[in-house]
Amino acid sequence: MPYKKFEEYNIQVTDDVKNRYENIIKDLGEDTRRDGLLKTPERAAKAMQFLTQGYHQDPVDILKGAMFKESYNEMVIVKDIELYSLCEHHILPFFGKAHIAYIPDGHIVGLSKLPRIVDVFARRLQVQERLTEQILDCINDTLKPQGVAVVIEASHMCMMMRGVQKQNSITTTSGFRGQFEKIETRNEFLKLIGK
């Protein structure tokens, strides 16, 4: 049986956003009755709901759902986590990679939960600085490890497509808590992620 993708959308929200997109497209001078644009307002409405689904997800519940008692107390790193978000200033995409490390203090978390936390916060209107801090604080406050580190490297379409139009620029943000505030621990992490 072929793979069937299923996405569920709020019909009322979809219709409302669809009508707004239709008006925007008309205001820009296009004909929404043109063959290629007939379904564009609805597709755009569904895409926007998908890209902002993080507002309806609880990152703390995600982490708590996969916390396990464990005596391991060395650095755990998940690096090169793909992320896609929308800049809150222009509603244009920014995308890149997140690198997360933590040092357990009695509890570990299922490894897939760290990328899921990235997605929850990235799937909102964002700025990279806040995204970095939200991921960091969520892991720190929920897991209560000895330390947490987050580094995000991203390209911003608001800088690449418009404004200064610098296609090769990368923005890097970082945050450190606990043991990662010590220079030797921080340096070990940065070396392990290749920075």
Side-chain angles (χ1 to χ4, degrees), residues 128-171:
Q128 185 173 329
E129 297 87 343
R130 182 185 320 114
L131 175 61
T132 303
E133 208 162 61
Q134 287 176 330
I135 295 165
L136 185 72
D137 289 340
C138 179
I139 295 167
N140 192 57
D141 296 346
T142 307
L143 196 54
K144 301 194 184 322
Q146 296 178 52
V148 183
V150 175
V151 171
I152 294 178
E153 302 167 292
S155 298
H156 292 250
M157 297 307 278
C158 58
M159 284 180 54
M160 297 166 73
M161 290 179 68
R162 58 162 308 284
V164 297
Q165 298 180 41
K166 301 300 177 200
Q167 285 75 34
N168 297 310
S169 62
I170 303 285
T171 301

Side-chain angles (χ1 to χ4, degrees):
M1 180 174 183
Y3 171 75
K4 184 177 179 184
K5 187 174 181 184
F6 178 74
E7 295 177 359
E8 192 173 320
Y9 298 99
N10 180 310
I11 294 170
Q12 184 178 348
V13 171
T14 301
D15 286 343
D16 186 39
V17 176
K18 173 182 126 182
N19 292 334
R20 292 169 193 256
Y21 270 114
E22 188 169 358
N23 288 328
I24 289 169
I25 293 168
K26 284 179 187 174
D27 289 346
L28 293 173
E30 259 293 359
D31 178 5
T32 55
R33 295 168 296 160
R34 186 165 61 79
D35 192 36
L37 292 176
L38 284 175
K39 294 187 178 181
T40 298
E42 182 179 353
R43 286 191 297 260
K46 288 178 178 179
M48 189 56 71
Q49 288 178 78
F50 176 81
L51 295 172
T52 60
Q53 64 185 295
Y55 290 118
H56 307 290
Q57 298 171 327
D58 187 340
V60 173
D61 284 349
I62 290 169
L63 283 180
K64 285 185 175 179
M67 282 176 60
F68 309 100
K69 288 187 179 190
E70 190 61 54
S71 62
Y72 185 81
N73 62 359
E74 299 294 329
M75 197 180 300
V76 176
I77 300 174
V78 180
K79 67 179 190 173
D80 296 329
I81 302 166
E82 293 178 18
L83 73 85
Y84 303 91
S85 193
L86 292 174
C87 164
E88 69 182 32
H89 300 138
H90 301 97
I91 312 184
L92 287 173
F94 67 93
F95 56 93
K97 294 179 179 182
H99 313 284
I100 299 173
Y102 74 99
I103 301 172
D105 192 16
H107 289 90
I108 60 169
V109 67
L111 294 176
S112 70
K113 302 310 175 201
L114 297 177
R116 286 197 63 201
I117 296 306
V118 171
D119 284 347
V120 168
F121 289 117
R123 297 293 190 197
R124 300 174 182 190
L125 299 181
Q126 274 291 10
V127 294
Q128 185 173 329
E129 297 87 343
R130 182 185 320 114
L131 175 61
T132 303
E133 208 162 61
Q134 287 176 330
I135 295 165
L136 185 72
D137 289 340
C138 179
I139 295 167
N140 192 57
D141 296 346
T142 307
L143 196 54
K144 301 194 184 322
Q146 296 178 52
V148 183
V150 175
V151 171
I152 294 178
E153 302 167 292
S155 298
H156 292 250
M157 297 307 278
C158 58
M159 284 180 54
M160 297 166 73
M161 290 179 68
R162 58 162 308 284
V164 297
Q165 298 180 41
K166 301 300 177 200
Q167 285 75 34
N168 297 310
S169 62
I170 303 285
T171 301
T172 302
T173 50
S174 62
F176 305 97
R177 298 286 187 274
Q179 292 295 319
F180 288 97
E181 293 174 290
K182 295 179 180 175
I183 193 71
E184 60 273 8
T185 310
R186 183 182 307 189
N187 285 344
E188 180 185 350
F189 165 66
L190 294 173
K191 182 179 178 185
L192 288 169
I193 66 169
K195 303 296 162 214

